[in-house]
Amino acid sequence: MIWYPYEQMKTMKQPYKIVDAKGVYLYTEDQKLIDSVSSWWCMIHGYKHPELTEAIKTQADHFSHVMLGGLTHDPVLKLSEKLESFLPGDLDYCFFSDSGSVAVEVALKMALQFNTNRGSNRDTVLALEHAYHGDTFKAMEVGDDEDYHFAFEEKKGVVHIPTEISALEDAFHKYHDKLTCFIVEPLLQGAGGMRMYDISFLQRARELCDQYDVLLIFDEVATGFGRTGYRFVADEVLPDILVLGKALTGGYIGHAVTVANHKVFNGFYSDDDRHALMHGPTFMGNALACAVALKSIELFERDNYMEKIKNIESIMRREMDGFTDPRIKEVRIMGGCVCIEVYDSADIEGFQDFAYRRGVFSRPFLKYMYAMVPYIIQEKELVQILDTMKAWFFN
Ligand SMILES: *Cc1c(COP(=O)(O)O)cnc(C)c1O
């Protein structure tokens, strides 16, 4: 029997059973649904994309996987080379892993050991309130979402601040000689409730990190590949470590990467074996994942996805313009993400089934009804999603 995620199994509603998927559509036995969630935000090119499927098949004809311990292969070499040129600044060193949470763990380990290797005893991580960085233990500690992690309350060596410049400056003044790193989901905090904040906060964070020699980590597992309307937020403000996951493979196979700049890499590069990074997931650099990631990035550039995302954002703004309801606290839009936050979670209970009947798959949580659409979505499909969200409140 399957143990489903984030569910009280005793009261869980039956999941919809998917029998096929193509483009933006999921198919059940009796319904065709636009996936407004992009399978947890990763499926940016939609399902059954012929070129992505082909990339996997072609690689599978050679080999599906070999370990990266003592071995290497073309797909992983090509992907790391591609990322080196595709990503901004001197973010050039790619450490692969099998999921976003693990890639965050790797980023935090890098930051902690970077300091140990240079003989510093700094041990504290600065993070944001309402942060979500994954479900593994250290990722949970730097996270701040009691709705996910309330069962593990104890926080060691992590300071959480709101996304306000004054709080940021206070934290640096108070803790700078203890801080190894500052980790953020830049501009858009996803699982914490699609919270959006201003780039000036990140610009100030970069200055303070430089001033006090603290590493800046961008967890772009969710925001990477255009979700905020920027290709990467790292294009605007350059972090020392960048974490990518979710859309890295176009959503076709779970894979992630922690990308370090030269400063971080050089902190490990020495004649001392004990300065090496001791981490190595079994499936890191998986050949199928690397092959499909390469093809995904090729499509992203070739088919001008940034233009598609701009268009999605402008349709969302047009359709949601002036839309209000007494139950709604705020409507937020950024890039390929729209969120309606209500005052009371009871006000969106039942929305999932309502949307299902209207041909939309949605997965609202807590007080948030949202869409993170596949970028290949057509205008009428996007309007159908937005109309469904609005119709709930007219109901
Ligand atoms: C989803 C997510 C993660 C975790 O990724 P997994 O692949 O689910 O482990 C980490 N950080 C952010 C910002 C995410 O949205």
Side-chain angles (χ1 to χ4, degrees):
M1 169 165 176
I2 299 167
W3 194 335
Y4 284 94
Y6 303 123
E7 295 287 356
Q8 170 47 262
M9 292 297 291
K10 189 170 179 183
T11 53
M12 182 183 79
K13 168 173 150 312
Q14 260 322 99
Y16 306 123
K17 188 171 174 196
I18 300 307
V19 296
D20 203 356
K22 186 167 194 289
V24 297
Y25 291 100
L26 296 167
Y27 296 84
T28 63
E29 287 295 354
D30 58 4
Q31 184 60 302
K32 175 182 170 186
L33 301 162
I34 303 171
D35 182 3
S36 73
V37 185
S38 302
S39 270
W40 268 333
W41 326 340
C42 65
M43 199 57 66
I44 59 174
H45 310 286
Y47 299 94
K48 214 189 290 190
H49 192 292
E51 288 172 89
L52 294 174
T53 305
E54 187 55 37
I56 294 171
K57 284 183 175 167
T58 304
Q59 182 54 41
D61 281 339
H62 295 283
F63 54 91
S64 296
H65 180 67
V66 296
M67 70 178 187
L68 223 51
L71 302 175
T72 194
H73 52 83
D74 267 336
V76 75
L77 287 166
K78 284 188 187 147
L79 180 58
S80 58
E81 216 169 87
K82 179 69 206 176
L83 288 171
E84 195 177 324
S85 61
F86 188 60
L87 296 175
D90 66 342
L91 291 163
D92 289 341
Y93 296 97
C94 298
F95 192 99
F96 294 98
S97 54
D98 28 31
S99 76
S101 303
V102 173
V104 166
E105 298 284 338
V106 169
L108 295 167
K109 267 174 92 163
M110 275 180 185
L112 296 174
Q113 195 181 339
F114 175 82
N115 277 282
T116 317
N117 284 358
R118 64 178 181 179
S120 150
N121 58 4
R122 295 183 182 202
D123 61 358
T124 303
V125 178
L126 187 62
L128 295 178
E129 289 177 2
H130 307 291
Y132 176 84
H133 295 291
D135 293 338
T136 51
F137 272 93
K138 194 67 189 177
M140 277 198 300
E141 276 177 26
V142 295
D144 175 42
D145 197 324
E146 53 192 87
D147 299 304
Y148 290 81
H149 303 141
F150 57 88
F152 308 92
E153 256 181 2
E154 195 192 353
K155 304 268 180 186
K156 287 176 257 120
V158 184
V159 174
H160 288 99
I161 57 167
T163 51
E164 291 157 14
I165 289 179
S166 58
L168 177 68
E169 290 174 341
D170 286 350
F172 271 89
H173 291 146
K174 203 161 161 198
Y175 300 109
H176 62 87
D177 58 344
K178 290 199 173 59
L179 294 179
T180 58
C181 63
F182 180 29
I183 183 169
V184 297
E185 293 160 90
L187 296 187
L188 171 63
Q189 297 184 281
M194 310 298 159
R195 292 162 196 267
M196 299 165 189
Y197 62 92
D198 197 81
I199 192 119
S200 58
F201 179 86
L202 297 172
Q203 288 159 342
R204 186 71 185 119
R206 182 66 271 179
E207 289 171 4
L208 289 163
C209 284
D210 287 341
Q211 186 180 340
Y212 294 111
D213 197 16
V214 172
L215 296 177
L216 182 59
I217 303 176
F218 278 7
D219 175 356
E220 295 218 49
V221 170
T223 57
F225 298 96
R227 189 54 73 184
T228 64
Y230 294 112
R231 215 174 56 117
F232 299 95
V233 184
D235 287 332
E236 304 300 310
V237 175
L238 193 62
D240 299 291
I241 301 174
L242 174 65
V243 187
L244 301 175
K246 292 194 165 98
L248 174 67
T249 63
Y252 278 60
I253 299 177
H255 221 63
V257 64
T258 310
V259 190
N261 69 3
H262 289 224
K263 173 182 168 176
V264 172
F265 182 79
N266 288 335
F268 291 76
Y269 195 76
S270 88
D271 294 320
D272 188 342
D273 281 348
R274 294 187 319 161
H275 287 181
L277 181 63
M278 299 305 282
H279 205 103
T282 305
F283 292 106
M284 73 182 292
N286 173 268
L288 298 178
C290 291
V292 75
L294 272 164
K295 185 55 75 176
S296 171
I297 295 171
E298 185 187 322
L299 297 181
F300 191 91
E301 291 187 294
R302 185 192 74 195
D303 297 346
N304 201 358
Y305 272 56
M306 293 314 298
E307 205 50 49
K308 293 186 202 293
I309 296 160
K310 263 203 201 93
N311 194 37
I312 288 169
E313 175 165 356
S314 69
I315 294 167
M316 284 175 172
R317 292 198 185 282
R318 183 191 74 207
E319 294 297 312
M320 300 311 282
D321 185 41
F323 176 68
T324 54
D325 183 274
R327 288 163 287 185
I328 294 176
K329 185 172 173 199
E330 191 177 41
V331 178
R332 295 189 280 273
I333 294 169
M334 182 185 276
C337 173
V338 55
C339 175
I340 298 177
E341 179 175 350
V342 295
Y343 286 103
D344 184 349
S345 59
D347 285 332
I348 51 175
E349 253 168 50
F351 176 69
Q352 186 172 60
D353 284 334
F354 175 87
Y356 183 93
R357 291 191 296 275
R358 283 167 173 73
V360 173
F361 173 66
S362 173
R363 190 176 150 91
F365 61 101
L366 306 169
K367 292 182 258 177
Y368 314 104
M369 172 191 288
Y370 76 95
M372 291 254 213
V373 296
Y375 301 147
I376 54 144
I377 198 165
Q378 298 297 305
E379 175 160 355
K380 69 173 192 328
E381 296 159 341
L382 180 54
V383 169
Q384 185 180 335
I385 292 172
L386 298 168
D387 280 349
T388 301
M389 292 168 82
K390 290 191 282 187
W392 171 258
F393 293 94
F394 299 139
N395 207 28

